[in-house]
Amino acid sequence: MTLPRIGDARAEDDAAIRGLLSAVQLPVTDLDAAAWQRFQVARDGGRIVGSVALDRAGDAALLRSLAVAPETRRHGLGRALVQAAEARARELDVMTLYLLTTTAAPFFERLGYVPLDRARAPQAIAALPQFAGVCPSSAALLRKRLAPGAAS
């Protein structure tokens, strides 16, 4: 399988992004009308089959909403979306990425993310809606420090 093209989301992608996130049981309740601007999406033809977003908080960001349509899993698209988000983070001078997950910690650990006690999250990250209440308190927190200008 050839990986779908990953690029910036457009305003008209909003409903498809929300639909994909809902289909894979990821939260959408905290997404405002401009949330699509923080997303990168994978397109297979005209259909969105993957997504990832960054919620920036100073020189850190929360990597969120990594979603891959079930029929396109197991081909490296999740890894490619994370790499795209990391590249975008570097462009934005983000030094550290954090994420919360209830199911995918081993996947992210293989990509260099390390578990971190939630109490050690920076205040700016802890104040984000996903951290503060959208994700359950049982969600694992992981962190990855990014080397400036390094390739993923």
Side-chain angles (χ1 to χ4, degrees):
M1 172 183 167
T2 302
L3 285 180
R5 184 182 64 82
I6 298 172
D8 293 337
R10 303 182 296 252
E12 59 268 20
D13 296 331
D14 186 69
I17 292 168
R18 291 170 191 268
L20 174 62
L21 295 176
S22 294
V24 299
Q25 300 179 343
L26 289 176
V28 296
T29 57
D30 64 318
L31 296 178
D32 60 23
W36 62 269
Q37 296 173 359
R38 299 187 308 272
F39 276 83
Q40 293 174 289
V41 295
R43 298 174 196 283
D44 187 10
R47 188 168 155 260
I48 291 176
V49 295
S51 70
V52 68
L54 295 174
D55 284 349
R56 192 163 179 193
D59 66 352
L62 188 70
L63 187 149
R64 61 162 298 162
S65 303
L66 176 65
V68 176
E71 66 277 9
T72 59
R73 290 182 182 163
R74 306 255 184 250
H75 297 284
L77 183 54
R79 176 182 296 269
L81 284 161
V82 170
Q83 290 171 340
E86 290 174 356
R88 172 63 46 83
R90 286 183 187 92
E91 291 170 5
L92 297 171
D93 294 322
V94 167
M95 302 305 294
T96 310
L97 287 176
Y98 294 86
L99 65 91
L100 294 164
T101 182
T102 57
T103 61
F107 167 79
F108 285 105
E109 288 176 28
R110 287 191 300 273
L111 299 179
Y113 289 77
V114 295
L116 184 68
D117 186 293
R118 285 178 69 129
R120 293 191 55 211
Q123 181 57 39
I125 293 293
L128 292 171
Q130 266 229 331
F131 193 101
V134 174
C135 285
S137 60
S138 60
L141 176 66
L142 289 94
R143 173 183 70 196
K144 184 174 185 179
R145 296 190 192 279
L146 301 176
S152 297

